[in-house]
Amino acid sequence: MRIGFAATAVVFLSCISAANAADKTVHDKDNGFSLTFPEGWRNEAPSGKTMRLKIKSGDQGLTCRISVGLYDPQASGSPADPKAFLERGWSPQAWQEMVGAAFTSAAFSNEKLIRFPDGYPARIADMDFQVGDGSASFPGHAKVVLSLRGTHFGLVTCGLTGDSLEQMKQKWAPLADEAERVASSFVLDGP
């Protein structure tokens, strides 16, 4: 019985090692973050003032965007202690103000506190959203991670859109675990 268990454990650990060996970690020292994603994903040109990395899963349409920028804890309405705010002062309204405002509409669920390898906090959630240009609107879903650290913020959005809510749900279902794995691999460097 023990030999069977040991053999099974070796095969299981080998599969995990093979899966991890197929991952690529990008550490952007200039912008202070790292992210791990499958080797076959392709880089695309980031856009906007704060987007630093944009990667796509290929034909499946899952796109992860990493935005990093300055955060001023002294600004009016900003929490003076970002770490305490993430750990104890966070609210659903904070998601709306800090992330949801960039979308036509956004609703957050499955929100929880996570920690970087050094113990610093971040928040992760699912986001249902709508994007549009006035004449058309598209539903989307994403796994999002946000952290405030020192004088900068980091946001990961791993998601996709569809022509309809049903199409988006069908596209998301097989990609949900991968989106969570990539989004939760995000680390915002310390000051």
Side-chain angles (χ1 to χ4, degrees), residues 165-187:
L165 186 59
E166 286 307 311
Q167 182 197 43
M168 184 275 304
K169 286 180 179 179
Q170 288 174 354
K171 288 169 61 177
W172 178 259
L175 300 172
D177 289 341
E178 188 168 47
E180 179 155 1
R181 184 173 63 86
V182 173
S184 59
S185 75
F186 173 70
V187 176

Side-chain angles (χ1 to χ4, degrees), residues 35 37 41-43 53-57 62-64 182:
L35 186 80
F37 54 92
W41 286 27
R42 66 181 184 267
N43 281 328
L53 179 67
K54 180 180 177 183
I55 51 174
K56 194 165 187 177
S57 67
L62 182 62
T63 302
C64 295
V182 173

